[in-house]
Amino acid sequence: MAKVLIVCGGTGGHLTPGIAIAEALSARGHACTLVVSRKKVDSRLIQNYPSMEFIEAPGAAFSFRPLVFLRFLWMQCCACIFAIHLLSKKKPDLILGFGGFLSAGIALPGFLRGIPFALHEANRVVGRSNRLLSRLADRVFLPVGVQLKGGRAVRILHVGLPLRKEFICMKKEVAREQLGIHPSEKLLVIFGGSQGASSLNEWAQVNCQALAEKGVSIYCLTGLRKELPCEVVSDTDSFGSVRSWFMPFSDT
């Protein structure tokens, strides 16, 4: 049995594949500990997995703005101290990072201790953190067709995105019924990630009426803490009342 430390907090795009990997490894008898951030998105998701071990770690996102950058440096120092204690306690056989500020704080102390380190990137454009951490990684997992400049080909393996076991195939009609969407109406889904994207949200709001005039409803996942109405009803001449939805978050 291997002990695996999965560093995957900060965004749903990091946390959800980390949970999927933990599910698969645990089913094979391995012990997994997931390191997450103190963000609201992490706190919400981990409530659905009471049988898993989650540990919150300090950290802050990177920015060149002076005050934010100083906070980032301070939190990275705190994260390194936290990581030293965590690694001494857990003694993992492998560290698996999914990028972001959390992975950086754990990867360096782990590298200095000689703990094998693997890195997963889910995006078509490799993030800043993963570009830097790839130099320390024994293995880098990238999406099919994505390359890493300066990365040694022998360390790179092209894979897909790990999916949690609750993702299942479902008929469109059933899914629409569960969401309260008419099975025959035209639907535009807008998804800006677990934290949303303000530019997409604003576009959806501005164009909601124009799309409704063409009989198109919007289902927009806005991200948490976005102050938008949950439902908008647009009156049209040709299609009557057309409903659109602005949902803060989805667990699936």
Side-chain angles (χ1 to χ4, degrees):
M1 180 186 74
K3 293 183 288 185
V4 184
L5 195 65
I6 301 175
V7 190
C8 58
T11 71
H14 293 154
L15 180 53
T16 53
I19 291 173
I21 289 293
E23 287 176 334
L25 290 176
S26 298
R28 290 166 171 78
H30 302 295
C32 297
T33 300
L34 294 90
V35 181
V36 300
S37 76
R38 295 165 181 169
K39 287 186 175 181
K40 187 176 181 179
V41 61
D42 288 11
S43 300
R44 172 165 179 162
L45 271 173
I46 65 178
Q47 293 177 5
N48 298 327
Y49 304 91
S51 62
M52 291 186 179
E53 181 183 15
F54 295 94
I55 296 178
E56 291 185 349
F62 177 85
S63 172
F64 283 112
R65 289 183 294 173
L67 291 179
V68 180
F69 180 68
L70 288 175
R71 184 173 183 271
F72 167 78
L73 291 178
W74 168 250
M75 294 304 294
Q76 286 301 106
C77 291
C78 294
C80 285
I81 295 173
F82 169 87
I84 291 171
H85 290 292
L86 179 63
L87 295 176
S88 297
K89 179 181 179 182
K90 293 297 181 181
K91 295 180 174 58
D93 300 299
L94 170 69
I95 299 173
L96 174 58
F98 281 83
F101 57 86
L102 282 184
S103 291
I106 304 289
L108 183 57
F111 175 78
L112 295 176
R113 286 183 171 227
I115 301 172
F117 174 55
L119 195 62
H120 182 278
E121 174 62 65
N123 298 299
R124 303 298 298 179
V125 178
V126 180
R128 181 189 292 114
S129 175
N130 278 356
R131 291 198 302 269
L132 295 173
L133 294 177
S134 64
R135 302 178 183 182
L136 307 180
D138 298 282
R139 178 72 71 181
V140 180
F141 300 100
L142 297 175
V144 176
V146 174
Q147 302 300 322
L148 181 64
K149 292 183 179 180
R152 293 188 304 225
V154 69
R155 294 185 301 157
I156 295 175
L157 184 64
H158 291 94
V159 298
L161 179 68
L163 295 178
R164 292 167 288 156
K165 60 184 181 182
E166 55 261 45
F167 276 86
I168 58 173
C169 292
M170 181 183 295
K171 290 184 177 181
K172 181 175 69 174
E173 294 78 12
V174 177
R176 287 191 172 214
E177 182 180 357
Q178 291 186 6
L179 293 173
I181 300 171
H182 194 276
S184 62
E185 67 185 16
K186 297 177 183 178
L187 182 68
L188 172 64
V189 177
I190 300 176
F191 177 47
S194 62
Q195 299 184 83
S198 296
S199 58
L200 293 178
N201 297 342
E202 292 168 3
W203 184 92
Q205 280 191 295
V206 170
N207 292 277
C208 186
Q209 181 65 39
L211 289 169
E213 296 290 348
K214 299 179 180 180
V216 179
S217 296
I218 295 175
Y219 197 93
C220 179
L221 294 173
T222 64
L224 296 172
R225 295 193 299 272
K226 302 295 193 298
E227 296 181 358
L228 294 172
C230 290
E231 184 175 318
V232 174
V233 179
S234 302
D235 294 323
T236 69
D237 294 332
S238 301
F239 298 95
S241 297
V242 177
R243 292 191 300 164
S244 292
W245 298 265
F246 293 84
M247 310 303 294
F249 190 80
S250 175
D251 293 311
T252 58

